[in-house]
Amino acid sequence: MKKKKILLTASVILLAAAAVFTGKYLLSERGLTNDEPANPSLSSYIVTETDDKADKYKNQSETETSDSSETESTEEYVSPIDFDKLKKDNADTCAWLEIPESDFSFPVMQHPTDNSYYLTHDFERNYSIYGAAYIEDYNKNDFSDMAAVIYGHNINNGEWFGQLQTIFTDPERFEECRNIKLYLPNEERTYKVFAAVPYDDSHILYYNDFSNDKVYDDFIEEIADTRALNSIIDKSALPSSGTRLLILSTCLKGDYSHRFLVLAAEC
């Protein structure tokens, strides 16, 4: 009898441990609740004010925005991101994503052979349930496609895409954070958010050929007609075919069978 009790107790402990492990795994996959930082320090890749490149970038920006500048600068583009260092540390780096009025500022990855690699690996290629921000091979790594989709985990501690739904379901924050910067090694682009909506989990780039004007316009019309709760859509800013799109995609909190999309058009 005593032996049976011991076995029963051991079984209960094992089942409880398994439940905890499974729960943590599912939370990690679905909600990613750990409060520890999800990504290593990436600030070293941003050119600081003490770097020579910083002055060059500042002067370049002032020249580009100056009313007196009627011709394009012939000087080589200087990025505020140290792509030489980034690519030396991880050659899969293809861009740097920034939303200036938020904490979003990190690299975008593209694995050459495995679209799911950065679901479970960080910038340093270490295994991580937090992954990294990335694009798939449906997109070119120079972001020349008519629509590019950047994926990232919806982490509850706010890192990676963990703030997207909080920011872009709040009308005030939506307005504050509408400008998105995408830095590439040889240029930078600015996009303006026109919608933030829940969306089904269908693969956007697989089912939509955005180089086809009708497909593009039908997709934008579908987004504009979204009636889901917590959607924000600026119908006065809807783009037409021919304008490049940037789409940020993450899990929808509370319904992991759907995605939360932030859609922006190139300025």
Side-chain angles (χ1 to χ4, degrees):
M1 188 72 175
K2 186 175 181 181
K3 186 175 181 181
K4 284 184 178 179
K5 281 188 175 181
I6 293 172
L7 288 173
L8 180 61
T9 302
S11 298
V12 170
I13 292 171
L14 286 172
L15 286 171
V20 170
F21 176 82
T22 302
K24 284 186 176 180
Y25 175 80
L26 290 174
L27 285 173
S28 297
E29 290 299 300
R30 299 298 195 181
L32 298 167
T33 59
N34 199 321
D35 290 331
E36 295 177 4
N39 45 326
S41 175
L42 298 167
S43 59
S44 63
Y45 298 106
I46 301 173
V47 175
T48 65
E49 293 182 1
T50 59
D51 295 328
D52 291 339
K53 283 187 177 180
D55 288 334
K56 291 180 180 178
Y57 177 75
K58 182 179 179 182
N59 293 335
Q60 167 187 273
S61 300
E62 289 174 349
T63 300
E64 289 173 351
T65 57
S66 173
D67 292 335
S68 61
S69 178
E70 297 180 359
T71 59
E72 294 184 6
S73 173
T74 58
E75 293 184 10
E76 183 180 357
Y77 170 74
V78 179
S79 174
I81 306 300
D82 193 340
F83 278 98
D84 290 338
K85 184 178 179 182
L86 272 171
K87 287 184 172 292
K88 181 180 178 182
D89 291 344
N90 190 330
D92 293 346
T93 308
C94 57
W96 189 281
L97 177 68
E98 180 182 81
I99 303 178
E101 299 303 322
S102 74
D103 295 331
F104 282 79
S105 185
F106 40 70
V108 179
M109 319 304 294
Q110 185 185 53
H111 195 275
T113 59
D114 184 357
N115 281 336
S116 64
Y117 183 84
Y118 286 104
L119 272 172
T120 55
H121 291 81
D122 62 21
F123 171 78
E124 297 178 339
R125 295 193 180 95
N126 296 316
Y127 175 80
S128 169
I129 59 172
Y130 302 112
Y134 67 96
I135 60 173
E136 297 180 333
D137 61 8
Y138 290 87
N139 280 130
K140 300 183 185 70
N141 62 12
D142 63 357
F143 287 81
S144 59
D145 300 290
M146 197 51 62
V149 180
I150 302 178
Y151 300 93
H153 280 308
N154 191 344
I155 301 174
N156 285 348
N157 70 2
E159 296 195 56
W160 293 127
F161 284 8
Q163 297 181 59
L164 280 184
Q165 195 169 337
T166 301
I167 291 172
F168 289 102
T169 55
D170 179 285
E172 185 174 343
R173 288 292 283 149
F174 180 97
E175 288 299 327
E176 291 173 349
C177 298
R178 290 186 71 172
N179 289 324
I180 297 177
K181 287 282 189 180
L182 189 71
Y183 297 100
L184 302 170
N186 299 314
E187 64 174 310
E188 65 186 68
R189 297 182 191 162
T190 301
Y191 299 80
K192 187 169 185 178
V193 176
F194 62 87
V197 299
Y199 196 76
D200 63 44
D201 63 354
S202 60
H203 195 288
I204 292 173
L205 295 178
Y206 180 83
Y207 289 105
N208 296 278
D209 177 7
F210 287 94
S211 64
N212 182 306
D213 289 352
K214 185 178 187 309
V215 172
Y216 182 112
D217 291 335
D218 286 349
F219 177 80
I220 296 300
E221 184 177 347
E222 178 189 359
I223 294 299
D225 289 341
T226 300
R227 296 290 182 270
L229 192 66
N230 290 327
S231 299
I232 298 182
I233 304 162
D234 181 357
K235 293 191 175 183
S236 68
L238 296 177
S240 300
S241 53
T243 301
R244 282 190 293 216
L245 301 176
L246 186 67
I247 303 171
L248 310 184
S249 176
T250 192
C251 286
L252 179 67
K253 289 180 181 177
D255 182 1
Y256 300 115
S257 65
H258 284 70
R259 311 290 295 174
F260 185 76
L261 305 182
V262 175
L263 303 102
E266 188 175 20
C267 298

